[in-house]
Amino acid sequence: MGEEINEHTGSGPVNTNSNENNGETADGGAKYYTLEEVRMHNMSSDTWLIIHNKIYDITSFLEEHPGGEEVLLEQGGSDATESFEDVGHSTDAREMLQQYYIGELHMVRRQMVSYLLFSYALVILMGFYDSSWAMWLIPTVAAAVVGVLYRFFMFEHKSS
Ligand code: HEM
C-alpha cells in the first residue's frame, strides 16, 4: 500500500499526483495525515474530524448536521470518536461518513512505542542466548512478537 505522510501544515496534500478529496493517492493507497496536521483544521471554514482513526473533512456537512453545527465545531481538528459513539449514531449516520472521508491517521507515536517494545523484547531475549533452549525460543518469540505487531497495525489502519 502506498503510504503517504503529509508533513506540511497547509490545507491540502503535498503529493500533486494524488486525487483530491477521495482519500486515495494516485496509486490507490490511502492518504495519511499526522495528528498535528489534522489539528490545523479546526475552524468553521475548514473542519476535519478523526473518527476511528479515519479523517473526515466535514466542512460542507456542518450546517446539515441534525445534531447542530456547534457540537461538530467543538470537536474540529480532534478525535471525535468518543463523542460520535456516545450519541449512538444510526447506521445511516455511519454511512454518511464515507462521503467526507479524506484519509487515515498516521500513528507515528504508537508505531514508535511498538518498535521500542519490540527492540526491548529482543534485548531481553538476547540475555538468555547462552543457554541451549534459547536457540529455538528466541526465533519463536521474535516471530510471535512480529505477528502480534502485524495484527496490531492491520487493525489500526482498518478499524472504522
Ligand atoms: C461527520 C460526523 C457525523 C455525522 C455524519 C453525523 C450524523 C448525524 C445524523 C445523521 C444524525 C441524526 C440521528 C442519526 O441518524 O443518528 C445526528 C444526530 C446527532 N449528532 Fe451527529 N454526526 C456526526 C458527528 C457528530 C459528533 C462528533 C457529535 C458530538 C459531538 C454529534 C452529535 C450529534 C447529536 C447530539 C445528534 C442529535 C441526536 C438527537 O437529537 O437524537 N454528531 N448526527
Side-chain angles (χ1 to χ4, degrees), residues 117-128:
L117 283 175
F118 180 60
S119 309
Y120 179 70
L122 277 182
V123 168
I124 297 285
L125 285 169
M126 290 302 280
F128 295 105

Side-chain angles (χ1 to χ4, degrees), residues 49 51 56 58 61 65-68 71-72 74-75 80 83-84 87-94 96-97 100:
L49 285 186
I51 297 177
Y56 301 95
I58 51 145
F61 176 66
H65 183 222
V71 286
L72 296 184
E74 276 169 20
Q75 305 286 325
S83 320
F84 183 81
V87 172
H89 281 92
S90 64
T91 309
D92 280 353
R94 288 165 199 281
M96 284 171 73
L97 279 176
Y100 305 107

Side-chain angles (χ1 to χ4, degrees), residues 132-152:
S132 59
W133 54 268
M135 296 293 282
W136 59 264
L137 184 66
I138 289 174
T140 307
V141 173
V145 171
V146 169
V148 168
L149 285 176
Y150 178 76
R151 286 177 67 94
F152 173 75

